[in-house]
Amino acid sequence: MFFSLLALGAVSFAHAQDCSKYIYFKDNARIESVVYDGNGKEIRKEVQEISGVEDKGGERIANITTTKSGNEGNSSSKGVVKCNGGNLYFDLTVGLPKQDVNNPAIESNTKTSYLTYPADPKIGQTLESSLDFNLNGTTKGKSMKVNFKVEDRKVSGKEKVSTPIGSWESFKITYVLNVKFKVVGINIPMKLDITEWFVPGYGIVKSEAYLKGKLTERSVITAIK
């Protein structure tokens, strides 16, 4: 649930320089996605609601409220997305449970970090990958700390991707997400290989996570309202 950085749709690069074309900057927009496990079984639904779109300091900024519901329980979080010159800056903490509906003791104490999505991606281009942040709190009465570190982030290719709401030419962005859980002094490391399908000027339409080469989760945009 921690790697999800979901978004949507697509338009041609002719519109990429216009931040208003991104769905994240449509006030009151509602973005719906479905997450499947490695066997194709639905495990949760995710809804992102956009609000507070404004231009500030040469940037377009919007708030995103993410609600998740499914087999893992329910959770909600808030985040920020920015755009400058068509370049998208996505709050990496979007989707992290700053407040878990089933366990309000879990809170994110991390500073906001951003992943950059360029307006004009180039295959082979290296992207920002020095992000390192923590999630701290308690669960079932025990202290918990989760560290997330992004490495080896790049534009690895270009291909057509299909979703329930359409098909588009997109860029494949790949990176390694290192996750380290620490509960009652015990460290549990995990390394996920993430692939996102990004359409300049619109957003991320699909993402996948692999653990030791095996697909564990796939997220696909299903509706925009």
Side-chain angles (χ1 to χ4, degrees), residues 184-199:
V184 293
I186 301 175
N187 288 313
I188 305 172
M190 180 186 301
K191 179 180 288 188
L192 294 167
D193 293 304
I194 309 298
T195 300
E196 297 174 325
W197 283 261
F198 171 69
V199 183

Side-chain angles (χ1 to χ4, degrees), residues 64-133:
I64 300 181
T65 299
T66 302
T67 303
K68 300 182 180 184
S69 59
N71 299 338
E72 302 161 337
N74 302 323
S75 65
S76 63
S77 64
K78 294 182 181 298
V80 175
V81 62
K82 303 189 297 184
C83 181
N84 188 329
N87 297 305
L88 188 67
Y89 302 89
F90 212 97
D91 181 355
L92 192 56
T93 63
V94 169
L96 294 182
K98 294 181 175 64
Q99 181 175 6
D100 189 304
V101 174
N102 294 328
N103 187 355
I106 298 178
E107 294 184 356
S108 173
N109 298 324
T110 183
K111 295 181 180 179
T112 300
S113 300
Y114 291 92
L115 288 180
T116 303
Y117 295 84
D120 186 15
K122 299 290 191 300
I123 296 176
Q125 180 180 358
T126 299
L127 303 177
E128 176 63 55
S129 60
S130 60
L131 299 176
D132 192 343
F133 62 97

Side-chain angles (χ1 to χ4, degrees), residues 203-216:
I204 305 164
V205 298
K206 179 181 175 182
S207 66
E208 292 180 346
Y210 293 81
L211 179 63
K212 297 181 179 179
K214 183 179 180 180
L215 177 66
T216 59

